Amino acid sequence: MQASRRDRLAPLTGLRFAAALGILLYHYGAPLVAGLPAWVERVRVGGHVWVGLFYVLSGFVLAWAYPLPMAPAERRTFYVARFARLYPAYLLAFLLIAPFALERWQGGGPLALAKAATVATACLLLAQAWATPIARLWNPPGWSTSVVAAFYAAFPFLAARLSRLSRRGLALAALAAWTASLAFPLLYLALRPDGPVAPAALTWEEPFWLEALKFHPVARAGEFAMGVALGLLHHRGVGFGRLGSAAAVAALGAVIALLAWGGAPYLLLHNGLALPLFAIALLGLAPGGGGPARLLASPAARALGDASFALYALQEPLWRWARRLVPDDPTAAPSAAFVAGFAVFAIAVSMLVSRSLERPARRALRALLGGEREVPVRSTAGGVSRLAPAERR
């Protein structure tokens, strides 16, 4: 039996937490898998793929919630809601990491002060991903929030165009978005604009074009666009029926197997190679049927999923403060016990921030900026329509 329409996307909330945990382990989890089989480490270091899942998931959920073109007033409400969703935890992370970020320019004189002010301003405006050399100079995970903000800005216009397409047209649009995602890394590999790039340079010392490929909103837009097309398809009844949960488990298992194999080209994997598998997972889990979907839709999983953005935004500031304050040698590699304790701490803090900061701040920002609560949709005999104000939850 399928879940009610109100809760149909609940499993995707739980899936968000699983993706956020994968990214946390990608950044800090090496001590936890030390001594385990090599394929486990390959799965961990391939955790960057879960950022792509976030992009597809964001487009999917928004398209399901807003399947019709928006009027100007609705676009304003949408933008207020999106800003209220992103900014509270993002700003908290910005402030928490500020003492560490400013160390980069300490003692550099007026020029360093000007650079620090430029980077800080770009980050506060959620614009740092458009200038990729500075994208990770303040709170490194914040680059992805900058990319998501760009996607949110484009969504009403992208969705309006895609909503006019038939099911076949939407399927072709999803395929085109995947092709566009892979075109950028394929072009990079063909042209080699940065020359030879050592594997050790694939983290922090990346050359200009490689950074642009990995972190610029244009290079990552295909992932979000594919999610929008998939969300519209799901809203029109496309899915896997009773096989949905099984298909989703198989697809996510295939992603893990792809990472464990370790033979996929890094840049293709980073920029969308796994998108078809993510598409199967989302279409399979979204209706809510089957054991895996019910597990991800459980109250505990949903509470964790609601805190997933805070976990992503706050992980680096919390890590820096933990390394600074916990009695340990900050210059030595952290122990497995330290990382495990940090993971539990970061999840607990993120849940606290979700409940005590994000929710009330979201309400306050919507009231201050004039944004109503997000408008759900309903099915009608002729398709879909927005709920009247009195019907909105």
Side-chain angles (χ1 to χ4, degrees):
M1 183 175 179
Q2 289 198 338
S4 69
R5 187 169 187 82
R6 181 181 178 188
D7 294 331
R8 278 190 76 183
L9 298 188
L12 303 189
T13 301
L15 183 63
R16 275 207 307 265
F17 171 74
L21 183 61
I23 295 169
L24 184 78
L25 296 176
Y26 164 65
H27 285 145
Y28 315 111
L32 295 177
V33 300
L36 295 180
W39 68 266
V40 179
E41 172 64 4
R42 288 195 292 269
V43 171
R44 186 195 69 81
V45 299
H48 52 78
V49 302
W50 308 120
V51 175
L53 176 57
F54 270 117
Y55 293 157
V56 181
L57 183 56
S58 294
F60 187 100
V61 171
L62 289 178
W64 183 86
Y66 296 89
L68 301 176
M70 298 182 199
E74 290 176 308
R75 286 200 296 269
R76 183 181 185 278
T77 298
F78 172 81
Y79 287 138
V80 169
R82 294 301 96 201
F83 176 78
R85 177 68 182 91
L86 285 181
Y87 213 70
Y90 177 83
L91 181 60
L92 176 62
F94 175 92
L95 296 173
L96 284 176
I97 207 169
F100 302 96
L102 291 171
E103 289 176 354
R104 179 187 302 273
W105 298 285
Q106 188 174 4
L111 180 59
L113 181 62
K115 290 180 179 179
T118 299
V119 173
T121 301
C123 292
L124 287 171
L125 295 175
L126 289 167
Q128 68 268 39
W130 292 94
T132 51
I134 69 170
R136 296 177 293 164
L137 293 186
W138 197 273
N139 180 25
W143 73 268
S144 184
T145 308
S146 175
V147 170
V148 168
F151 294 163
Y152 287 169
F155 171 78
F157 307 99
L158 173 64
R161 293 188 68 85
L162 292 180
S163 66
R164 301 187 182 100
L165 300 178
S166 64
R167 287 186 182 184
R168 181 174 181 273
L170 287 170
L172 291 174
L175 179 61
W178 182 43
T179 302
S181 292
L182 295 181
F184 286 104
L186 288 171
L187 189 63
Y188 180 91
L189 292 171
L191 298 179
R192 299 285 182 178
D194 294 316
V197 178
L202 296 177
T203 51
W204 289 104
E205 301 299 328
E206 292 162 324
F208 177 82
W209 289 109
L210 182 58
E211 280 192 322
L213 173 67
K214 293 175 64 175
F215 307 122
H216 198 281
V218 173
R220 307 304 298 267
E223 295 159 87
F224 180 77
M226 186 176 186
V228 175
L230 292 170
L232 292 173
L233 281 170
H234 172 62
H235 200 276
R236 297 182 192 182
V238 174
F240 297 98
R242 294 181 178 180
L243 298 177
S245 280
V249 170
L252 293 173
V255 175
I256 293 172
L258 183 64
L259 299 180
W261 171 51
Y266 168 78
L267 292 180
L268 295 181
L269 196 59
H270 190 280
N271 279 51
L273 185 63
L275 289 187
L277 297 172
F278 292 155
I280 294 170
L282 297 185
L283 289 172
L285 290 172
R294 287 194 293 270
L295 177 63
L296 289 172
S298 66
R302 294 175 68 176
L304 290 167
D306 287 338
S308 60
F309 176 70
L311 179 62
Y312 182 81
L314 293 169
Q315 59 182 272
E316 183 67 10
L318 293 177
W319 177 262
R320 296 284 190 94
W321 280 110
R323 294 287 283 161
R324 180 71 59 89
L325 298 177
V326 174
D328 196 3
D329 181 0
T331 64
S335 65
F338 179 90
V339 173
F342 168 76
V344 173
F345 169 72
I347 292 168
V349 170
S350 298
M351 295 185 71
L352 178 64
V353 168
S354 174
R355 290 178 174 273
S356 302
L357 173 66
E358 287 190 291
R359 292 180 188 178
R362 203 176 302 159
R363 291 192 294 268
L365 285 170
R366 285 175 174 165
L368 177 66
L369 299 175
E372 303 175 15
R373 296 191 68 180
E374 293 165 86
V375 184
V377 295
R378 67 177 177 185
S379 296
T380 68
V384 293
S385 69
R386 300 208 179 277
L387 298 183
E391 297 175 275
R392 296 174 188 171
R393 293 188 179 274

